[in-house]
Each structure stands twice: as C-alpha cells, then as structure tokens.
DNA sequence: CAATTGCCGTACCGTACGTTACGGTTCGGC
DNA sequence: GCCGAACCGTAACGTACGGTACGGCAATTG
C-alpha cells in the first residue's frame, strides 16, 4: 500500500530492485540489443548499447539505474522468454514417462548450447566474484533451479504411478541433470567448438532417459 | 646471430608463446601471487600483481610479454601442480575397480570445488569470447581432458578384466563425468554457496561409482 | 500556438588500468 | 674496486569506459 497509485499505463520509469515490472516494447528492444551485443562480444559497454539500440545513454540510466541494473534486467528478460514445456499430465505410462524425460533432456541441451545462454552464463560467471552481484543467482534460479522445479513433479508422478523408485526427488533430479548435461556446458563455456547438432541432442536425450530409467526405474527390467 | 650467446644459466628471459619453459623460482612466486589475487578478487591488475609479488611491472612485462601472457603462464603453472592420482595397475578385481572409480570421482569433485579451480575457470570463461584467447583451451586440456585420458585406461582395463561392458570409452567416460560432477561446477561458478564438504564428496563419489557400475557393469548383478 | 515532456545525439568528466620509461639498488664477474 | 645486467619502486602516458550534462527535436497537452 505504498506503490504508485496512478502510474497511468505509460511505462515504468525505472525497473530496478525487484525487477518485478514488465519492460515496455521500447525497453524490450533495448534489452534485445544488449543480448545481441553479449552474444557478439562479451560484456557490452553502455555506449555500445546506446548506439545499437539507437537510444541515448541518459535514457539507459533513467530506465535501468546503472550498468548492473541493465544487465540484471537483460538476464530476467531472457529468462522470461525461455519458460516452456511442461509435461503432459494425462496418462502416464512407461512410454509417456520416457518421452517426457527425453523431451526435458533435449530441451535442456538446446538451452545450454544456445548462443544467448552461453553469453549470459559467461557474463554471470565473470561477475560472480564482484560485490553485490545478483546475476549468478538470477541465472541459476531461471536455469538450473527452474528446470528442477518443473521436472520434479514428473518424477513424483512417475513414482506414484509405480514407474520410478527413489527416496529424494532432488537427488534423482540431480542425477538426471548429470546424465543429460554431462560435460557439455562447461566445455562450451570454455570455448570448446563442439556444439552438438540437433541429431546429437536427440540421441543424447534418448541415452540420458534410458540411463536414468535404468537407475531409477521400478521393477520392470525394460531398460538395458 | 641475434640472440644473446652467453645467457649463462640465469633464467629464461621470456616464457611466451608455447609456454614450454619452466618458470624459475622467482617467477613461480609471481605466478602464485597471481593465483592468490585471482582467488581473492577475480581478474587481477598488473599493478596489483607487482605489488603483491614485490616486483616491478617492467619485470612482469619482460618475463611474460603482456597481461595475456601472464594469465596463460598462471593457468599452466596451476595445471602443472594438479597432476596426480593414477590408479593401481595391479590386481584389478571388482572391488579395486570400484575403489579406483570412487577415488577418481572424489578427486575430481575436490578439484572443481577448490577456490583456485573456480577462480581460474571463471577467468578462462570470462575471456573465452575475446580474440586470440587460449585460456579456455588450456583449462580444458588440463582439467576435463586430462582426467579423461587418465580415467580411460582404467575403464579399458576393467573391460579387459570382464568387469565393464561398453563400446566407446569416451562415451563411458562422459557418463561417469556427468554422474560425478552433476551440477556442482556450474552452480559454484555462478556463485551458489553450496560448497560440498569432504563428507559430501565421499558419499557423492561412492554414489557415482555405484551408479556407473550399475550402467556399465558386466554380467554380475553386483550393483545396487 | 505556447509550454511541457520524453528522448536522441554528443560532448564531457573522473577514474581505472595496460603499458612504457626512468632513476636507484643489488649482485655476479673481471 | 669497477662494469653491466637484472630488478625494484614509481611516475607518467594513452585509452577505454561508467556516468553526467546539455542542446535540439518531435509529440503531447492545454
């Protein structure tokens, strides 16, 4: 009960702090420019952003407060574009479970090997030691933790359907995470050229699902 | 006839390019200072290095060429300190195999969660997009790839002893890598506070070895 | 039409940092 | 005891960049 009462529908003058506000179309264009610059050349400068987005630096500071605010808004903007792909909640049999696991693994592999994700993770990691940094936390919350929260319901549904056996959903998820991602992300982050093709991603996702079911599948010796 | 003919045995004046030369004691002290600064505050400045190592900037430039040369020499210096821990080549039975796998996993977990490794990886990742950068390649070669080359002989020995079954040693190794590391490294790189304790590392290593044997163990249903 | 608002383009300031230059000191060899 | 090489400490230079200020323009408001 302290918030802006008649903010009109123009636009939020500054989307700092909580990052709760939704950016306007113009602001989204600025954030997309930041993303493009990140993909091209690492940490973008304020001048480069202003040039690329055809806006003045003064406007950047008015909207985002300072450079950190701009970066944080960019990370959240990208995160808001990625959410997708829950599992089909109906009819969970062994095949549907396997398909959903494959879909999760493939989706995750596509995300972590995308240019935007790599650029964002590089910058968040590079700033992780600097004081008062939130980027790493934001990236973790929207990447690793978000997919965990979306996958665990599937795992628990699989357990209730008698298809999976595990004690701790978090532990089971972490194993799935390791089987799916393996060394892909760290290699790409370090500049290794071996970007997986769509074919690689599909077969890796299938292998990850198969191995996960071999470890956590209940009863049936379907795995092999 | 351009080189200094009587260089005496003092010390290599510049260890650039191939990084083949061994640093002198004094140079090692400088590189240790760089490592300490990296752990404390991320990317070190040349002035900070000179101050910490009690040497002049002129000397830094004479020895290492430029800032990139200093960073590359530091990465290689740290890498040269890590090599350790092959497996016991004699008497490979099921228990010895499991023990060796556990030892590899525990060693790897200790490395990737150490302050030095984290600092080095952060810097290599941060510079991965910059032109003419070798740090990422050096880190990969001495981390991920080095452990792979040391573990694969164990896996193949296990296969010849009839204890393991796999087609491609690289594929098997990557699975082991994923089971052991899971999300630990990326979480720590992004600033997540959850550093595993020695107890965590031991139990995680045991779990990774058990799961790997469940997936790749030959014949015997020893796993579980 | 005049005043206000929002924003672009550009110039500017202060600082941090990579790199170079220089005077002074130590030390091994003659 | 002298010479030169290696090295330390520090100052200086050029540049890049975060952040600020200002003039001008277009659209909106009254």
């Amino acid at each position: 009960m302290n918030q802006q009462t008649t903010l009109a529908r123009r636009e939020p003058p500054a989307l700092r702090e909580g990052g709760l506000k939704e950016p306007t179309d113009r602001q989204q264009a600025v954030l997309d420019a930041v993303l493009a610059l990140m993909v091209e050349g690492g940490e973008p400068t304020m001048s480069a952003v202003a040039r690329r987005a055809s806006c003045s630096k003064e406007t950047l500071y008015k909207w985002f407060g300072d450079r950190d605010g701009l970066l944080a808004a960019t990370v959240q903007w990208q995160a808001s574009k990625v959410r997708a792909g829950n599992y089909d909640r109906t009819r969970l049999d062994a095949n549907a479970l396997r398909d959903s696991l494959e879909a999760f693994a493939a989706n995750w592999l596509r995300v972590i090997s995308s240019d935007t994700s790599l650029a964002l993770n590089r910058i968040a990691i590079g700033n992780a030691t600097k004081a008062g940094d939130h980027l790493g936390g934001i990236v973790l919350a929207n990447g690793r933790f978000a997919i965990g929260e979306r996958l665990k319901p599937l795992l628990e549904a699989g357990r209730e359907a008698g298809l999976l056996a595990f004690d701790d959903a978090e532990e089971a998820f972490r194993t799935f995470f390791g089987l799916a991602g393996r060394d892909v992300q760290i290699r790409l982050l370090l500049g290794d050229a071996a970007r997986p093709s769509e074919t690689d991603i599909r077969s890796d996702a299938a292998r990850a699902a198969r191995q996960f079911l071999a470890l956590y599948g209940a009863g049936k010796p379907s795995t092999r």
Side-chain angles (χ1 to χ4, degrees), chain A residues 151-212:
Chain A
L151 181 54
K152 279 189 221 163
L154 171 64
L155 299 182
E156 278 155 0
R159 179 169 56 180
E160 283 173 30
L163 299 168
L164 294 176
F166 56 83
D167 292 333
D168 184 355
E170 171 72 10
E171 275 295 307
F173 164 68
R174 292 186 70 191
T175 297
F176 181 79
F177 185 99
L179 287 171
R182 301 192 291 183
D183 58 355
V184 171
Q185 193 170 19
I186 188 66
R187 284 175 67 167
L188 293 177
L189 284 173
L190 283 168
D192 197 47
R195 275 268 282 277
S197 68
E198 179 60 25
T199 319
D200 295 335
I201 287 179
R202 275 192 228 275
S203 72
D204 276 353
R207 176 202 42 76
R210 175 164 37 83
Q211 290 178 325
F212 181 79

Side-chain angles (χ1 to χ4, degrees), chain A residues 12-26:
Chain A
L15 43 167
R16 294 308 317 289
E17 60 206 33
L20 305 163
K21 316 256 189 1
E22 183 85 353
T24 64
D25 289 355
R26 185 75 178 91

Side-chain angles (χ1 to χ4, degrees), chain A residues 103-122:
Chain A
F104 265 101
N107 179 56
W108 180 243
L109 285 170
R110 266 180 226 111
V111 167
I112 64 175
S113 57
S114 71
D115 283 331
T116 19
S117 164
L118 287 174
L120 243 31
N121 274 276
R122 286 207 183 96

